[in-house]
Amino acid sequence: MVNPKKIVEQSNLIPELEKMKTEMITLDYPTSGFLTPKTSKLGGIGYLPKSEPYPTNPQGQPLSLLAQINFDELPYIENYPTTGILSFYIDCFDDILGLNFNLEKKTEQSHFRVLYFENTDEPYHNTTDIEALFKPYNSDDMEIVIEEEVKMTGSLATDPFPFETIDFKRYFNSDFFEYMNVKFGDQAEDVMSYLFDYLSPGGTHIGGYPFFTQEDPRTIESPYTKLLFQLDSDLGYASLGDNGVAQFTISEDDLKQKNFSNVLYNWYCY
């Protein structure tokens, strides 16, 4: 009988994976908690200064808040903001939620928007005014990704290893499945199943490695190497198609400079 755990332990894979560990902030959803416009959350109404117009799609329809991250509430990880609010808006009037399949246009923020406000003391749009923007539209014309807003909290964790991503290809100079088949032969499928169960890729987090239910849309030369935010719909608070996972990735330079105008948005489902 195949024992994939023993096979992995006897290989040199674990020491290699140890070198690839990286920090992340895992995001959880407490069962209760007071929410304000500045709270880290999924869905609902977020913080938007009155100096900033509400984001819309090219047809003038309002985008929907997917998630809001208040870095003042979260632990620190290197190169990410330590303060301020980062918000992610998507187009729920679009049946593919603003996704652009053209790789060269995945960063065009016309059907999605990433907004960052370092200073959160400015007067902001109130809930009534924002809700009024949606009143002319029938909810049946929209994709409902998040039924109601839910508070998010964060904690430091370690992401042990990227699966089928450009990060794996860069480190091992090989595709994940190709590498496993060459290294483990007929036992590769059992080993991969063990790694998926043991390491539990996916989840909702900031930093760490992205997890793609299909293929990584980035090329190996892509500058979008840092995971700004990943939303996994596995816990039932969000609905991205059939248990989909959404990622927002950014270059390291833009992340350090807090330039969120050049972000690659992608989501796939199973």
Side-chain angles (χ1 to χ4, degrees), residues 95-242:
D95 58 3
I96 55 173
L97 304 174
L99 178 65
N100 196 321
F101 290 104
N102 185 336
L103 181 58
E104 295 180 355
K105 295 184 177 181
K106 279 187 176 292
T107 59
E108 290 184 4
Q109 296 194 25
S110 55
H111 289 273
F112 79 96
R113 205 85 83 248
V114 180
L115 302 175
Y116 176 66
F117 306 105
E118 191 161 18
N119 174 17
T120 59
D121 294 327
E122 294 183 40
Y124 51 87
H125 295 279
N126 63 48
T127 299
T128 302
D129 290 343
I130 293 177
E131 289 177 341
L133 299 174
F134 290 86
K135 283 187 178 178
Y137 304 101
N138 192 320
S139 60
D140 292 338
D141 297 328
M142 300 177 64
E143 300 293 324
I144 305 301
V145 177
I146 299 164
E147 291 285 350
E148 58 182 343
E149 67 179 7
V150 57
K151 181 182 175 71
M152 289 195 298
T153 58
S155 56
L156 275 179
T158 300
D159 199 348
F161 142 71
F163 282 76
E164 181 59 3
T165 72
I166 61 170
D167 309 279
F168 188 94
K169 291 178 183 177
R170 284 174 169 169
Y171 188 84
F172 287 98
N173 196 30
S174 173
D175 172 271
F176 172 70
F177 293 102
E178 178 184 349
Y179 177 89
M180 290 294 164
N181 282 317
V182 170
K183 189 172 184 65
F184 296 105
D186 293 339
Q187 300 167 327
E189 188 171 338
D190 292 309
V191 169
M192 287 189 286
S193 293
Y194 166 75
L195 289 174
F196 272 91
D197 291 340
Y198 176 66
L199 298 175
S200 301
T204 298
H205 53 93
I206 301 162
Y209 296 112
F211 172 72
F212 300 98
T213 58
Q214 305 294 330
E215 62 182 9
D216 190 337
R218 304 168 297 172
T219 63
I220 199 165
E221 299 85 9
S222 173
Y224 305 99
T225 57
K226 295 299 180 180
L227 181 60
L228 191 56
F229 173 65
Q230 175 169 284
L231 174 62
D232 193 333
S233 54
D234 64 347
L235 294 178
Y237 292 102
S239 177
L240 293 160
D242 181 14

Side-chain angles (χ1 to χ4, degrees), residues 36-39 41-50 52-58 61-69 85-94 96-100 106-117 124-127 129-131 133-134 142-143 145-146 149 228-229 231 240 246-248 260 263-267:
T36 74
K38 298 182 183 181
T39 302
K41 66 178 76 174
L42 289 183
I45 305 297
Y47 172 81
L48 188 70
K50 288 189 174 181
E52 180 79 21
Y54 192 87
T56 61
N57 65 17
Q61 297 165 313
L63 301 183
S64 298
L65 181 67
L66 178 68
Q68 173 174 280
I69 297 165
I85 288 177
L86 185 65
S87 302
F88 302 86
Y89 290 83
I90 60 172
D91 188 355
C92 289
F93 291 97
D94 179 17
I96 55 173
L97 304 174
L99 178 65
N100 196 321
K106 279 187 176 292
T107 59
E108 290 184 4
Q109 296 194 25
S110 55
H111 289 273
F112 79 96
R113 205 85 83 248
V114 180
L115 302 175
Y116 176 66
F117 306 105
Y124 51 87
H125 295 279
N126 63 48
T127 299
D129 290 343
I130 293 177
E131 289 177 341
L133 299 174
F134 290 86
M142 300 177 64
E143 300 293 324
V145 177
I146 299 164
E149 67 179 7
L228 191 56
F229 173 65
L231 174 62
L240 293 160
Q247 300 89 13
F248 296 83
F260 301 106
V263 172
L264 192 151
Y265 162 53
N266 189 78
W267 74 273

Side-chain angles (χ1 to χ4, degrees), residues 5-22:
K5 179 180 179 181
K6 187 174 182 179
I7 294 170
V8 170
E9 289 174 347
Q10 291 175 342
S11 74
N12 66 345
L13 183 60
I14 295 299
E16 290 298 319
L17 299 185
E18 288 288 327
K19 299 175 186 177
M20 299 194 71
K21 283 184 176 181
T22 186

